């Protein structure tokens, strides 16, 4: 399976590093970015091909990993699916628009292709999927990040500030680069998750706390993520999750859902 990557930022750079270290068993062949020089520089690192257009990326790839933005998902993923190409979506927030989600689902079914959504920077998604076989009665996400990760400056003497309280569908619009995890959680649970976002000067890591209740019982998880070395808005675990999914596509025995 020939894999192309759309968007050559922090996640793409991490995936290339995994390939160079031998931890990624996937055929990364092509890179595309709106800034061709970004794609070219990264491609030269591993001796693969940087393409100049999305059409060329689609033509050459069997699967495309999107690691660009919600805007890129909305603009480009319908075209990718229509061309009969599988896709991995990292900017999951775009899928909380129900009309757009239904459009992608229809295109994937019509063209017999798959849409893959990595678990991203949170834990417990397998349990959320399983819990949804029964009834989920409540689910919430509290995200704490250092102010720099949220592009916020706290006032003198202010340790933390609540930046948002509301539904995931609204959070992904206001914080498109920070809270894709809420989208993954919402899609897995079938519920527009209650989200709280806090800029917290007392922490160094991006922290996501999930509370889930249902007929299965209760689940609480806390994931404290080191920020990506290339982008403080992105947790390193997000890239790990993408690489793990690509590895999983080639494995005969698969662990977890």
């Amino acid at each position: 399976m020939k894999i192309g990557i759309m968007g050559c930022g922090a996640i793409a750079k991490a995936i290339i590093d995994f390939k160079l270290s031998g931890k990624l068993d996937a055929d990364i062949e092509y890179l595309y970015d709106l800034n061709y020089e970004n794609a070219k520089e990264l491609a030269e690192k591993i001796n693969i091909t940087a393409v100049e257009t999305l059409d060329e990326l689609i033509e050459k790839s069997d699967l495309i990993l999107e690691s660009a933005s919600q805007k890129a998902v909305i603009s480009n993923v319908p075209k990718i699916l229509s061309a009969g190409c599988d896709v991995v979506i990292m900017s999951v927030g775009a899928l909380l628009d129900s009309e757009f989600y239904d459009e992608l689902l229809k295109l994937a079914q019509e063209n017999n292709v798959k849409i893959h959504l990595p678990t991203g920077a949170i834990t417990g998604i397998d349990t959320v999927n399983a819990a949804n076989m029964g009834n989920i009665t409540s689910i919430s996400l509290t995200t704490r990040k250092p102010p720099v990760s949220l592009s916020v400056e706290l006032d003198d003497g202010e340790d933390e500030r609540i930046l948002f309280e509301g539904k995931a569908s609204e959070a992904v619009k206001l914080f498109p680069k920070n809270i894709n995890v809420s989208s993954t959680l919402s899609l897995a649970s079938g519920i527009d998750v209650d989200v709280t976002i806090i800029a917290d000067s007392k922490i160094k890591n991006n922290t996501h706390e999930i509370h889930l209740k249902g007929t299965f019982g209760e689940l609480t998880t806390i994931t404290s993520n080191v920020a990506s070395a290339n982008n403080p808005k992105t947790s390193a675990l997000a890239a790990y999750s993408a690489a793990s999914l690509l590895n999983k596509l080639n494995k005969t025995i698969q662990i977890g859902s």
Side-chain angles (χ1 to χ4, degrees), residues 4-29:
I5 298 179
M6 177 177 67
C8 294
I11 290 175
K13 290 175 182 176
I15 288 173
I16 295 303
D17 286 342
F18 283 130
K19 184 66 177 176
L20 286 169
S21 68
K23 292 183 178 180
L24 179 61
D25 181 22
D27 293 326
I28 310 296
E29 298 283 351

Short mmCIF file of all heavy atoms in Angstrom, two decimals, residues 4-29:
data_model
loop_
_atom_site.label_atom_id
_atom_site.label_comp_id
_atom_site.label_asym_id
_atom_site.label_seq_id
_atom_site.Cartn_x
_atom_site.Cartn_y
_atom_site.Cartn_z
N GLY A 4 0.54 8.36 1.05
CA GLY A 4 0.92 9.76 0.89
C GLY A 4 0.50 10.54 2.12
O GLY A 4 -0.46 10.15 2.80
N ILE A 5 1.19 11.59 2.41
CA ILE A 5 0.86 12.45 3.56
C ILE A 5 0.54 13.84 3.05
O ILE A 5 1.31 14.43 2.27
CB ILE A 5 2.01 12.50 4.57
CG1 ILE A 5 2.28 11.11 5.15
CG2 ILE A 5 1.68 13.48 5.70
CD1 ILE A 5 3.43 11.07 6.15
N MET A 6 -0.58 14.38 3.48
CA MET A 6 -1.00 15.74 3.14
C MET A 6 -0.81 16.63 4.37
O MET A 6 -1.50 16.47 5.37
CB MET A 6 -2.47 15.74 2.70
CG MET A 6 -3.03 17.13 2.40
SD MET A 6 -4.74 17.08 1.79
CE MET A 6 -5.63 16.48 3.25
N GLY A 7 0.13 17.55 4.30
CA GLY A 7 0.45 18.41 5.43
C GLY A 7 1.74 17.96 6.08
O GLY A 7 1.80 16.87 6.66
N CYS A 8 2.77 18.79 5.98
CA CYS A 8 4.11 18.38 6.44
C CYS A 8 4.54 19.14 7.69
O CYS A 8 5.64 19.71 7.74
CB CYS A 8 5.12 18.56 5.31
SG CYS A 8 4.81 17.45 3.92
N GLY A 9 3.67 19.12 8.69
CA GLY A 9 3.98 19.75 9.96
C GLY A 9 4.49 18.76 10.98
O GLY A 9 5.17 17.78 10.65
N ALA A 10 4.11 18.99 12.25
CA ALA A 10 4.65 18.21 13.36
C ALA A 10 4.36 16.72 13.24
O ALA A 10 5.23 15.88 13.49
CB ALA A 10 4.10 18.75 14.68
N ILE A 11 3.14 16.36 12.87
CA ILE A 11 2.77 14.94 12.80
C ILE A 11 3.52 14.24 11.67
O ILE A 11 4.06 13.15 11.84
CB ILE A 11 1.25 14.79 12.64
CG1 ILE A 11 0.55 15.20 13.95
CG2 ILE A 11 0.87 13.37 12.25
CD1 ILE A 11 -0.95 15.21 13.89
N ALA A 12 3.58 14.87 10.51
CA ALA A 12 4.30 14.27 9.39
C ALA A 12 5.77 14.09 9.72
O ALA A 12 6.38 13.04 9.41
CB ALA A 12 4.15 15.15 8.15
N LYS A 13 6.37 15.08 10.37
CA LYS A 13 7.78 14.98 10.73
C LYS A 13 8.01 13.82 11.70
O LYS A 13 9.00 13.08 11.58
CB LYS A 13 8.25 16.29 11.34
CG LYS A 13 8.34 17.43 10.34
CD LYS A 13 8.69 18.75 11.00
CE LYS A 13 8.72 19.88 9.97
NZ LYS A 13 8.96 21.19 10.60
N ALA A 14 7.10 13.64 12.65
CA ALA A 14 7.23 12.54 13.60
C ALA A 14 7.10 11.19 12.89
O ALA A 14 7.83 10.24 13.20
CB ALA A 14 6.19 12.66 14.70
N ILE A 15 6.17 11.09 11.95
CA ILE A 15 5.98 9.84 11.21
C ILE A 15 7.23 9.49 10.40
O ILE A 15 7.66 8.33 10.36
CB ILE A 15 4.73 9.94 10.31
CG1 ILE A 15 3.48 9.91 11.19
CG2 ILE A 15 4.70 8.81 9.29
CD1 ILE A 15 2.20 10.16 10.45
N ILE A 16 7.83 10.48 9.77
CA ILE A 16 9.06 10.24 9.03
C ILE A 16 10.17 9.79 9.97
O ILE A 16 10.96 8.88 9.64
CB ILE A 16 9.48 11.50 8.25
CG1 ILE A 16 8.45 11.83 7.17
CG2 ILE A 16 10.87 11.31 7.64
CD1 ILE A 16 8.18 10.73 6.18
N ASP A 17 10.25 10.37 11.15
CA ASP A 17 11.25 9.94 12.14
C ASP A 17 11.03 8.49 12.55
O ASP A 17 12.00 7.73 12.72
CB ASP A 17 11.21 10.85 13.37
CG ASP A 17 11.83 12.22 13.11
OD1 ASP A 17 12.58 12.36 12.12
OD2 ASP A 17 11.55 13.15 13.88
N PHE A 18 9.76 8.09 12.72
CA PHE A 18 9.47 6.69 13.04
C PHE A 18 9.92 5.77 11.91
O PHE A 18 10.44 4.68 12.15
CB PHE A 18 7.96 6.49 13.29
CG PHE A 18 7.48 6.99 14.63
CD1 PHE A 18 6.37 7.82 14.71
CD2 PHE A 18 8.12 6.63 15.79
CE1 PHE A 18 5.92 8.27 15.94
CE2 PHE A 18 7.67 7.07 17.03
CZ PHE A 18 6.57 7.90 17.09
N LYS A 19 9.73 6.20 10.68
CA LYS A 19 10.14 5.40 9.54
C LYS A 19 11.66 5.25 9.51
O LYS A 19 12.19 4.15 9.29
CB LYS A 19 9.65 6.06 8.24
CG LYS A 19 9.94 5.26 6.99
CD LYS A 19 9.17 3.95 6.95
CE LYS A 19 9.42 3.20 5.64
NZ LYS A 19 8.76 1.88 5.63
N LEU A 20 12.35 6.35 9.78
CA LEU A 20 13.81 6.32 9.77
C LEU A 20 14.37 5.43 10.88
O LEU A 20 15.41 4.80 10.72
CB LEU A 20 14.36 7.74 9.92
CG LEU A 20 14.25 8.65 8.69
CD1 LEU A 20 14.59 10.09 9.06
CD2 LEU A 20 15.16 8.15 7.57
N SER A 21 13.67 5.38 12.01
CA SER A 21 14.14 4.59 13.14
C SER A 21 13.76 3.11 13.04
O SER A 21 14.16 2.31 13.88
CB SER A 21 13.58 5.16 14.45
OG SER A 21 12.17 4.96 14.53
N GLY A 22 12.96 2.76 12.03
CA GLY A 22 12.55 1.37 11.85
C GLY A 22 11.33 0.97 12.65
O GLY A 22 10.96 -0.20 12.66
N LYS A 23 10.68 1.93 13.30
CA LYS A 23 9.50 1.61 14.12
C LYS A 23 8.20 1.61 13.31
O LYS A 23 7.17 1.17 13.81
CB LYS A 23 9.39 2.60 15.28
CG LYS A 23 10.49 2.46 16.31
CD LYS A 23 10.29 3.42 17.47
CE LYS A 23 11.38 3.25 18.52
NZ LYS A 23 11.20 4.19 19.66
N LEU A 24 8.26 2.13 12.10
CA LEU A 24 7.06 2.22 11.27
C LEU A 24 7.18 1.28 10.09
O LEU A 24 8.07 1.42 9.24
CB LEU A 24 6.86 3.66 10.79
CG LEU A 24 5.65 3.91 9.88
CD1 LEU A 24 4.36 3.57 10.61
CD2 LEU A 24 5.62 5.35 9.40
N ASP A 25 6.26 0.30 10.03
CA ASP A 25 6.25 -0.68 8.94
C ASP A 25 5.15 -0.30 7.95
O ASP A 25 4.10 -0.93 7.87
CB ASP A 25 6.01 -2.08 9.51
CG ASP A 25 6.00 -3.14 8.42
OD1 ASP A 25 6.59 -2.88 7.35
OD2 ASP A 25 5.41 -4.22 8.64
N ALA A 26 5.38 0.78 7.24
CA ALA A 26 4.41 1.26 6.26
C ALA A 26 5.18 1.95 5.14
O ALA A 26 6.22 2.55 5.37
CB ALA A 26 3.43 2.23 6.91
N ASP A 27 4.63 1.87 3.93
CA ASP A 27 5.32 2.42 2.75
C ASP A 27 4.93 3.88 2.54
O ASP A 27 4.02 4.19 1.77
CB ASP A 27 4.98 1.60 1.51
CG ASP A 27 5.54 0.19 1.58
OD1 ASP A 27 6.62 0.02 2.16
OD2 ASP A 27 4.88 -0.74 1.07
N ILE A 28 5.62 4.77 3.25
CA ILE A 28 5.43 6.20 3.03
C ILE A 28 6.17 6.56 1.75
O ILE A 28 7.40 6.45 1.68
CB ILE A 28 5.97 7.04 4.21
CG1 ILE A 28 5.42 6.51 5.55
CG2 ILE A 28 5.64 8.51 4.02
CD1 ILE A 28 3.94 6.61 5.71
N GLU A 29 5.43 7.00 0.74
CA GLU A 29 6.04 7.22 -0.57
C GLU A 29 6.02 8.68 -1.01
O GLU A 29 6.92 9.14 -1.72
CB GLU A 29 5.31 6.37 -1.63
CG GLU A 29 5.40 4.87 -1.40
CD GLU A 29 6.74 4.30 -1.81
OE1 GLU A 29 7.53 5.03 -2.42
OE2 GLU A 29 7.00 3.12 -1.49
#
